Amino acid sequence: MKWGYGSKSRCRQSSVVAVAEETEGIDQVFVESCWTNLPLELLREVLMRIEDTESKWPLRKNVVACAGVCRSWRDIMKELVKTPEVSGKLTFPISVKQPGPRDTLLQCFIKRNQTTQTYHLYLSLTQALADDGKFLLAARKYRRPTCTDYVMSLDADEMSKGGGTCIGKLRSNFLGTKFTAYDCILPYAGAKLVKSRSTRLVGSKQMNPRGPSGNYEVAHISYELNVLGASRGPRRMHCVMDAIPASAIKPGGTAPTQVEFPMGNSGSSLPMRFLRSKSSRLEKSLSGPIETQREGSLVLKNKAPRWHEQLQCWCLNFHGRVTVASVKNFQLVASPENGVAGPEHEKVILQFGKVGKDMFTMDYRYPLSAFHAFAICLSSFDTKIACE
């Protein structure tokens, strides 16, 4: 009797499972047919209007949602959503790895938490110096016996080297005067891979072996030693952008542009499958810069401030974006090392400054990406007794 009941129970259970699977299959077919059978011309027109009207965050999230509906919607959104260089908008996570707009500064801000040693980068949504903002990147500071590491992540809550959302790191020397920025993803064809223990960690836990991953040097930031002692002037910065050719700042010049994240082993990488831009000119820059890299890397230097006699301090014009005097404040422009000085050497490519106790603004433009700019700004947070 017991076994008979058990047998009957198993049959009933299997029939229920079969019905459930059949129903689920019908629903899936219905959903797929609803979206895939929609006329492409009509679908494209609808998505184009959404992309045009939902131009700012938080409404911009609807554009991201549309790209995740199905393959047809995703393919169209790939073509409609342009890179930050063209549109001036940050839409998908891959946007933080792509160069900013050419004609304007993209306004962002950084919130520092000194207790947890974390830093969060946000896109400014208004002209106010402090607003909620759209989260872009996060970083955590790790002190080592001989250096300091800043691990950068796409996730505000996961900032470990082995995390599936880690996209790069910044490492300093013992004195905190020299920094090297590393990208976990191949930044351009022919990039130099640095072998290290952390490279093996990243390769085994972070990215799928199908996508190249590791420590690729993308920038070197150095602060000039001040032999005159403290309070003798502002810091002097020198940045060599290994991943960006010097010709990028010239009219018609291009910089390498990452178009997608490689597939990861964790679920966090799933929404990254459609993060790709279909700009043919920018897509060519991934393979093109092999030759332009030989011309030399882009070199940036801090814009020299002027001494204000009445205020008795060094001053720079941040156009209202910086309100608190700090040795950390800086503006970066192209160095004369890049060739004959021209109008492009006068443009501020990156500016960073203090507006509150733990609030800083960060504005950047082409050819830097948010990732590059964030790494450079993180180097400014380290104490540099020998430079001040």
Side-chain angles (χ1 to χ4, degrees):
M1 193 67 182
K2 179 179 179 181
W3 288 104
Y5 177 79
S7 176
K8 185 182 294 185
S9 176
R10 282 194 297 272
C11 292
R12 182 183 302 171
Q13 183 179 6
S14 61
S15 63
V16 171
V17 172
V19 172
E21 290 178 350
E22 184 179 355
T23 304
E24 183 179 354
I26 294 175
D27 291 341
Q28 184 65 25
V29 171
F30 175 74
V31 171
E32 288 292 336
S33 63
C34 283
W35 304 125
T36 56
N37 293 333
L38 195 66
L40 290 180
E41 295 78 7
L42 176 60
L43 176 60
R44 186 180 181 84
E45 180 67 24
V46 171
L47 295 183
M48 186 180 298
R49 292 189 180 187
I50 294 176
E51 205 282 330
D52 289 339
T53 56
E54 314 295 304
S55 59
K56 296 182 179 180
W57 290 93
L59 295 178
R60 195 72 177 163
K61 66 182 180 181
N62 296 326
V63 176
V64 179
C66 287
V69 170
C70 65
R71 187 179 300 275
S72 298
W73 289 47
R74 182 163 59 247
D75 291 340
I76 295 177
M77 293 309 292
K78 287 181 188 178
E79 302 176 6
L80 295 181
V81 177
K82 305 303 181 183
T83 61
E85 175 193 353
V86 178
S87 65
K89 304 171 187 175
L90 299 179
T91 305
F92 301 129
I94 193 61
S95 299
V96 300
K97 287 294 193 73
Q98 298 173 336
R102 289 179 179 264
D103 300 326
T104 60
L105 287 167
L106 206 55
Q107 296 183 346
C108 307
F109 62 92
I110 298 173
K111 288 184 179 180
R112 174 181 62 180
N113 188 321
Q114 299 190 55
T115 303
T116 59
Q117 294 289 284
T118 56
Y119 306 82
H120 293 82
L121 174 66
Y122 298 87
L123 175 67
S124 297
L125 302 182
T126 67
Q127 293 298 320
L129 295 179
D131 56 22
D132 292 335
K134 168 67 178 72
F135 172 79
L136 298 177
L137 290 170
R140 182 184 296 277
K141 183 177 182 180
Y142 294 91
R143 293 188 181 275
R144 313 294 185 194
T146 59
C147 64
T148 300
D149 282 351
Y150 293 85
V151 177
M152 289 172 278
S153 171
L154 290 168
D155 192 335
D157 301 318
E158 176 56 58
M159 288 173 277
S160 61
K161 288 184 180 179
T165 56
C166 173
I167 61 170
K169 72 176 182 180
L170 179 74
R171 171 166 290 180
S172 75
N173 64 352
F174 179 73
L175 294 177
T177 56
K178 294 183 179 181
F179 296 79
T180 302
Y182 299 92
D183 197 331
C184 291
I185 306 170
L186 183 69
Y188 61 91
K192 179 183 177 182
L193 174 64
V194 178
K195 299 289 184 179
S196 67
R197 181 174 178 272
S198 58
T199 302
R200 294 194 295 272
L201 177 65
V202 169
S204 62
K205 291 186 178 182
Q206 178 193 318
M207 297 296 181
N208 189 300
R210 288 180 294 176
S213 62
N215 285 339
Y216 298 95
E217 295 182 352
V218 292
H220 288 81
I221 306 118
S222 60
Y223 292 82
E224 186 176 320
L225 294 175
N226 187 358
V227 296
L228 298 178
S231 70
R232 292 292 182 179
R235 294 172 177 174
R236 295 183 181 180
M237 299 175 62
H238 186 267
C239 303
V240 179
M241 309 304 299
D242 302 85
I244 303 175
S247 59
I249 62 171
K250 299 178 181 178
T254 60
T257 303
Q258 296 183 21
V259 292
E260 66 180 357
F261 285 110
M263 285 296 293
N265 295 325
S266 63
S268 62
S269 63
L270 292 178
M272 298 177 188
R273 281 183 282 186
F274 59 85
L275 305 182
R276 185 179 179 88
S277 171
K278 280 287 186 179
S279 171
S280 59
R281 183 175 67 85
L282 295 177
E283 206 161 17
K284 291 178 181 178
S285 68
L286 278 176
S287 56
I290 296 180
E291 298 180 359
T292 57
Q293 290 291 322
R294 296 173 186 169
E295 302 174 7
S297 300
L298 175 67
V299 179
L300 305 177
K301 69 177 184 67
N302 65 300
K303 189 174 183 179
R306 60 181 180 84
W307 178 257
H308 198 291
E309 288 293 341
Q310 295 180 343
L311 299 177
Q312 289 294 295
C313 65
W314 296 95
C315 296
L316 279 171
N317 185 5
F318 288 93
H319 301 281
R321 290 286 292 165
V322 178
T323 58
V324 180
S326 173
V327 70
K328 296 179 177 64
N329 301 346
F330 67 82
Q331 289 179 326
L332 291 184
V333 296
S335 172
E337 299 175 42
N338 296 307
V340 180
E344 61 273 10
H345 289 74
E346 299 298 323
K347 286 185 178 180
V348 174
I349 296 177
L350 170 63
Q351 67 177 21
F352 171 78
K354 193 172 185 179
V355 294
K357 180 181 178 182
D358 292 303
M359 183 78 72
F360 303 81
T361 56
M362 186 199 87
D363 305 336
Y364 73 98
R365 63 154 39 103
Y366 191 91
L368 295 185
S369 66
F371 170 71
H372 293 140
F374 191 37
I376 295 174
C377 292
L378 287 174
S379 72
S380 185
F381 284 107
D382 251 20
T383 301
K384 305 167 182 63
I385 299 177
C387 302
E388 300 170 2

